[in-house]
């Protein structure tokens, strides 16, 4: 089921015409909470957190005292699946409709995974590409191969955008889109652990939270898709996302964090 948008071009650029109810109808008709694949979300969160924070320290020129955690050594990533997600993340056009369709495609790829796993695997695919870019940049002054590869990937173009408002809205800042998505995934994981052990005590709250998970996971993936396109636009020197779209996504993830934070305050 696809979402219907107004034919007014200006409204197509606003999430105000993209309601949670419409999104829910779109995803619930195609997806249920997959339980067939066991998933260690804690290790994936540690892995993604390490990649993104280390890459951003390199980006900011803070290369001293970099420490690498081994908390995620037991991760056995589904390489083929991550490659499929990466392909979806890198081949779309800007805007809400394209991000929505890409999100649905990614959900189709991850149909057998639990909802939280869908979100963290999408963020893992994003982090893999992002980390690779800055890893190459880190060694480009010492390694001719790394320098050549970083040139091919467009890293010099990306570096020109580091101080731009839009780049810092997507990454680097604690309240950026990607860091907020990671924080939302951590909150969901905390709540799942709590409700797993206290489901009888807070059954009504647990049920309300469970109903929110698919929608929250959808929006996390949608935001990652939009953020990846913005980063890709810097690498390719092409048009990025509209500023008002990024602003609305910031409002959306802030709202999600507020909702999850409210649950955490109760439990």
């Amino acid at each position: 089921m696809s979402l219907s948008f107004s034919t007014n071009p200006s409204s197509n650029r606003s999430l105000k015409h993209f309601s949670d109810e419409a999104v829910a109808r779109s995803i619930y008709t195609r997806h249920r909470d997959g339980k067939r694949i066991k998933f260690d979300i804690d290790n994936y969160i540690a892995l993604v957190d390490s990649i993104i924070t280390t890459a951003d320290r390199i980006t900011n020129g803070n290369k001293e005292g970099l420490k690498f955690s081994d908390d995620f050594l037991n991760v056995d990533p589904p390489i083929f699946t991550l490659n499929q997600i990466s392909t979806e993340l890198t081949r779309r056009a800007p805007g809400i409709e394209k991000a929505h369709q890409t999100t649905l495609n990614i959900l189709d790829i991850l149909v057998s995974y639990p909802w939280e796993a869908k979100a963290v695997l999408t963020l893992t695919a994003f982090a893999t590409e992002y980390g690779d870019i800055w890893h190459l940049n880190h060694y480009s002054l010492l390694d001719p191969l790394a320098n050549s590869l970083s040139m091919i990937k467009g890293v010099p173009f990306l570096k020109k955008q580091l101080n731009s408002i839009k780049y810092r809205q997507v990454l680097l800042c604690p309240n950026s889109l990607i860091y907020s998505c990671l924080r939302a995934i951590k909150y969901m994981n905390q709540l799942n652990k709590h409700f797993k052990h206290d489901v009888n005590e807070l059954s009504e709250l647990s049920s309300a939270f469970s109903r929110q998970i698919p929608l929250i996971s959808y929006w996390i993936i949608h935001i990652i898709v939009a953020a990846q396109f913005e980063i890709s636009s810097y690498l390719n020197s092409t048009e990025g996302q509209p500023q008002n779209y990024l602003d609305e996504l910031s409002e959306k993830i802030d709202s999600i964090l507020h909702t999850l934070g409210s649950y955490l305050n109760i439990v």
Side-chain angles (χ1 to χ4, degrees), residues 191-224:
L191 287 164
N192 272 326
K193 288 180 178 179
H194 182 87
F195 289 134
K196 182 179 180 180
H197 296 98
D198 296 308
V199 65
N200 293 326
E201 178 185 347
L202 297 165
S203 57
E204 185 175 340
L205 184 62
S206 175
S207 297
F209 169 64
S210 296
R211 290 192 296 270
Q212 289 287 318
I213 288 178
L215 193 59
I216 291 172
S217 297
Y218 165 88
W219 280 115
I220 290 173
I221 296 172
H222 183 121
I223 291 168
I224 294 168

Side-chain angles (χ1 to χ4, degrees), residues 39-266:
F39 193 81
D40 186 354
I41 193 169
D42 289 314
N43 279 330
Y44 275 89
I45 288 174
L47 174 64
V48 171
D49 200 344
S50 176
I51 293 173
I52 293 176
T53 55
T54 302
D56 278 354
R57 288 188 65 184
I58 293 172
T59 303
N60 283 318
N62 183 10
K63 303 176 184 179
E64 298 297 327
L66 291 177
K67 296 181 179 180
F68 300 93
S69 171
D70 60 359
D71 293 342
F72 43 80
L73 288 180
N74 293 325
V75 168
D76 184 17
I79 302 300
F80 179 73
T81 300
L82 289 175
N83 286 338
Q84 286 182 297
I85 298 170
S86 295
T87 299
E88 289 295 331
L89 288 175
T90 56
R91 71 181 187 184
R92 294 293 174 176
I96 298 169
E97 297 93 333
K98 294 298 184 182
H100 170 68
Q101 185 56 55
T102 301
T103 302
L104 294 183
N105 292 346
I106 291 172
L107 290 176
D108 285 341
I109 293 169
L110 299 172
V111 67
S112 298
Y113 287 88
W115 279 102
E116 305 94 308
K118 300 179 201 294
V120 78
L121 278 173
T122 305
L123 190 54
T124 302
F126 171 91
T128 300
E129 176 65 20
Y130 183 71
D132 188 41
I133 288 170
W134 289 110
H135 182 255
L136 289 173
N137 178 74
H138 182 54
Y139 289 102
S140 61
L141 295 178
L142 302 175
D143 183 347
L145 178 58
N147 183 59
S148 298
L149 291 173
S150 67
M151 292 288 292
I152 291 173
K153 283 183 172 288
V155 177
F157 298 111
L158 181 62
K159 291 169 70 174
K160 293 179 181 179
Q161 302 294 330
L162 291 180
N163 293 320
S164 69
I165 294 175
K166 290 175 73 177
Y167 190 103
R168 292 184 173 272
Q169 189 172 4
V170 172
L171 276 157
L172 295 180
C173 296
N175 294 324
S176 63
L177 291 173
I178 292 299
Y179 277 98
S180 294
C181 285
L182 177 58
R183 191 156 63 251
I185 291 170
K186 290 179 179 179
Y187 285 177
M188 283 199 296
N189 191 39
Q190 291 177 42
L191 287 164
N192 272 326
K193 288 180 178 179
H194 182 87
F195 289 134
K196 182 179 180 180
H197 296 98
D198 296 308
V199 65
N200 293 326
E201 178 185 347
L202 297 165
S203 57
E204 185 175 340
L205 184 62
S206 175
S207 297
F209 169 64
S210 296
R211 290 192 296 270
Q212 289 287 318
I213 288 178
L215 193 59
I216 291 172
S217 297
Y218 165 88
W219 280 115
I220 290 173
I221 296 172
H222 183 121
I223 291 168
I224 294 168
V225 168
Q228 175 61 61
F229 183 87
E230 184 65 22
I231 296 297
S232 296
S233 73
Y234 303 147
L235 294 168
N236 300 317
S237 296
T238 55
E239 180 184 1
Q241 300 285 13
Q243 181 63 61
N244 66 312
Y245 177 35
L246 293 179
D247 291 343
E248 289 182 322
L249 290 177
S250 294
E251 293 176 4
K252 173 61 70 174
I253 194 63
D254 286 347
S255 175
I256 288 171
L257 289 171
H258 177 75
T259 298
L260 293 173
S262 297
Y263 282 120
L264 285 171
N265 288 334
I266 294 173

